């Protein structure tokens, strides 16, 4: 019997300390007692040798079918035996995408690890089934619990189909996309829909932990879709399907492939994802918000753009650097900033390296601070 697995809280796979969403979101892994075993570097190999041309943005009669044909051969079914005290209790079923000819498979961490530590689960096998019927035993090589992204590796003596990686930054609300995977162990299932939102924040969903952004779509996704690709009409991977809202239809979420590519680069460089931490709460400003804040408080800093700091965590690097609630960050490490994403990109993975930050304060006071990020606690 298959059932949806709800995302775990606190010490579970994805750190979600806010309990407000519990019972409303589900990861797409399916589990059953007798389920069948089934830097922005871009992979230049298509998943299919189809001669059909790309869409160029036009939706025709065969557009979705052609996109599915391109990605299909590279989408795999993942089956992981589950056990307790040495007794097999069932299997976790999910999806994945072969992204490199060397056998690297992109998937979700909760698919291949359950809701346990990678150190406990990586010793087990991952049964991988391709669309052409070939089966392999894979190994979990990397997993990031906060982003819920993992890599599995298989070895093959014959060539493997691979997916082409696209750019999620090119997506717009209303763009057509398809979700491919193995919902309820039904391999090679394709559903279509549109992008509903390109930057749905984790805080919008009541999710705690590190700030994250998701692609929101109305593609039909179910248990077993986790780890499968979200694909544009050119057959390129633009996201990794990760979760849906239990109490509503047409509310699915994917990790943008641009973010995934950075995570994979972290894996290659450090074997893990390094997340610098400042200890700042930040809010992006625009002209309308600034005008409203000035109406409420005439002493609000005289700025046209920037990032407001409503709170500073005591004892944090930002606190030690002299940040104060009400500061507006206008420059970071010598560069003007308008969004939180820009600050994250500037910091990248640089920890224990001092950076200069310019903030505006009331009474037209401009202050330059020196802050040194530290690596975030994985359990934050």
């Amino acid at each position: 019997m298959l059932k949806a697995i709800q995302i775990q809280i606190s010490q579970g796979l994805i750190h979600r300390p806010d309990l407000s969403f519990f019972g409303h979101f589900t990861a797409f892994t399916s589990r059953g007692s007798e389920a069948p075993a089934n830097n922005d570097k871009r992979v230049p190999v298509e998943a299919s040798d189809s001669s059909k041309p790309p869409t160029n943005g036009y939706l025709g009669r065969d557009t979705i079918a052609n996109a599915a044909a391109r990605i299909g051969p590279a989408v795999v079914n993942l089956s992981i035996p589950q056990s307790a005290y040495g007794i097999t209790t069932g299997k976790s079923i999910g999806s994945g995408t072969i992204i490199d000819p060397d056998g690297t498979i992109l998937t979700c961490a909760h698919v291949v690890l359950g809701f346990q530590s990678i150190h406990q689960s990586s010793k087990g096998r991952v049964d991988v089934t391709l669309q052409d019927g070939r089966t392999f035993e894979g190994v979990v090589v990397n997993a990031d619990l906060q982003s819920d992204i993992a890599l599995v590796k298989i070895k093959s003596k014959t060539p493997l189909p691979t997916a082409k990686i696209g750019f999620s930054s090119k997506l717009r609300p209303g763009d057509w996309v398809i979700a491919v995977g193995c919902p309820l162990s039904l391999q090679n299932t394709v559903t279509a829909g549109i992008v509903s939102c390109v930057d749905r924040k984790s805080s919008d969903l009541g999710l705690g932990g590190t700030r994250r952004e998701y692609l929101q779509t109305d593609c039909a996704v179910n248990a077993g879709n986790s780890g499968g690709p979200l694909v544009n009409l050119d057959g390129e991977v633009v996201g990794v399907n990760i979760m849906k809202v239990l109490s509503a239809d047409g509310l699915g979420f994917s990790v943008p492939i641009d973010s995934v590519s950075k995570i994979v680069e972290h894996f290659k460089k450090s074997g893990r994802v390094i997340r610098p931490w400042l200890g700042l709460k930040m809010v992006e400003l625009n002209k309308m918000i600034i005008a409203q804040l000035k109406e409420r408080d005439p002493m609000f800093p005289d700025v046209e753009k920037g990032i407001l700091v409503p709170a500073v965590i005591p004892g944090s690097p930002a606190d030690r650097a002299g940040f104060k609630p009400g500061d507006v960050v206008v420059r970071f490490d010598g560069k003007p900033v308008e969004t939180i994403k820009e600050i994250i990109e500037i910091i990248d993975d640089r920890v224990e390296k001092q950076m200069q930050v310019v903030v505006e304060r009331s009474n037209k006071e401009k202050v330059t601070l020196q802050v040194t990020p530290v690596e975030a606690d994985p359990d934050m």
Side-chain angles (χ1 to χ4, degrees):
M1 181 177 177
L2 299 171
K3 60 180 180 179
I5 300 300
Q6 293 174 328
I7 294 174
Q8 300 295 298
I9 310 298
S10 189
Q11 299 301 321
L13 172 69
I14 310 174
H15 184 63
R16 320 268 201 215
D18 188 340
L19 300 181
S20 63
F21 79 102
F22 188 69
H24 298 285
F25 289 85
T26 178
F28 303 145
T29 308
S30 63
R31 299 170 190 248
S33 58
E34 298 180 357
N38 291 329
N39 237 349
D40 286 329
K41 293 185 179 179
R42 307 295 173 178
V43 181
V45 185
E46 292 278 353
S48 170
D49 59 0
S50 170
S51 59
K52 300 288 186 180
T55 65
N56 294 322
Y58 296 101
L59 183 64
R61 177 176 180 178
D62 298 323
T63 302
I64 292 175
N66 292 340
R70 292 188 185 97
I71 189 68
V75 179
V76 301
N77 175 271
L78 302 177
S79 175
I80 302 89
Q82 302 293 303
S83 63
Y85 303 104
I87 301 174
T88 300
T89 58
K91 291 185 177 182
S92 173
I93 305 296
S95 308
T97 309
I98 304 174
I99 60 171
D100 195 291
D102 68 359
T104 299
I105 297 171
L106 175 64
T107 187
C108 285
H110 77 258
V111 168
V112 294
L113 303 184
F115 293 103
Q116 304 175 37
S117 163
I118 183 172
H119 302 295
Q120 297 172 340
S121 303
S122 60
K123 295 180 180 178
R125 73 179 190 273
V126 179
D127 295 327
V128 180
T129 304
L130 273 63
Q131 189 183 69
D132 59 22
R134 285 183 287 172
T135 59
F136 300 90
E137 185 172 300
V139 176
V140 181
V141 292
N142 294 103
D144 179 58
L145 306 183
Q146 292 222 16
S147 65
D148 199 12
I149 294 297
L151 296 179
V152 172
K153 192 73 171 287
I154 59 175
K155 294 181 179 180
S156 176
K157 295 180 180 179
T158 54
L160 294 168
T162 55
K164 184 175 181 180
I165 303 300
F167 294 89
S168 52
S169 58
K170 294 183 178 180
L171 292 174
R172 300 177 301 167
D175 280 345
W176 281 91
V177 285
I178 63 173
V180 186
C182 312
L184 306 176
S185 302
L186 301 174
Q187 197 161 356
N188 311 326
T189 296
V190 178
T191 61
I194 62 169
V195 175
S196 305
C197 179
V198 296
D199 56 358
R200 180 65 64 204
K201 295 175 178 57
S202 53
S203 58
D204 294 341
L205 305 177
L207 306 181
T210 304
R211 181 182 186 273
R212 300 173 299 285
E213 290 187 352
Y214 300 105
L215 300 173
Q216 178 183 328
T217 76
D218 68 350
C219 292
V221 285
N222 294 282
N225 269 112
S226 266
L230 185 72
V231 182
N232 63 20
L233 294 184
D234 290 325
E236 301 169 334
V237 180
V238 292
V240 177
N241 297 319
I242 181 175
M243 61 184 174
K244 65 175 290 187
V245 177
L246 283 174
S247 58
D249 293 326
L251 285 176
F253 301 91
S254 307
V255 182
I257 199 62
D258 292 356
S259 298
V260 174
S261 295
K262 292 178 181 178
I263 291 170
V264 172
E265 287 305 308
H266 275 275
F267 286 158
K268 292 179 180 178
K269 182 179 178 180
S270 308
R272 59 192 174 88
V273 178
I274 297 175
R275 292 185 171 88
W277 181 65
L278 294 176
L280 290 175
K281 300 291 185 180
M282 296 184 284
V283 176
E284 296 175 2
L285 298 175
N286 57 39
K287 291 183 178 180
M288 299 305 293
I289 294 176
I290 291 172
Q292 188 176 57
L293 291 173
K294 285 184 176 179
E295 284 182 5
R296 296 175 180 174
D297 183 2
M299 301 299 290
F300 186 80
D302 187 18
V303 297
E304 294 184 357
K305 56 188 177 182
I307 298 98
L308 175 65
V309 177
V312 181
I313 298 177
S316 66
D319 185 30
R320 294 192 293 271
F323 281 88
K324 297 180 180 180
D327 284 349
V328 176
V329 179
V330 293
R331 296 185 71 86
F332 203 101
D333 201 30
K335 300 177 181 178
V337 290
E338 298 181 37
T339 66
I340 298 172
K341 182 180 291 186
E342 289 174 340
I343 292 179
I344 294 173
E345 291 175 349
I346 290 171
I347 299 175
D348 194 26
D349 62 353
R350 295 185 292 169
V351 296
E352 304 299 342
K353 294 184 179 180
Q354 193 175 79
M355 300 180 189
Q356 190 177 84
V357 183
V358 178
V359 301
E360 296 272 5
R361 291 175 175 167
S362 58
N363 296 321
K364 297 184 179 180
E365 181 183 5
K366 181 178 290 188
V367 180
T368 300
L369 305 173
Q370 305 292 333
V371 64
T372 303
V374 298
E375 184 170 358
D377 184 339
D379 293 328
M380 287 179 61

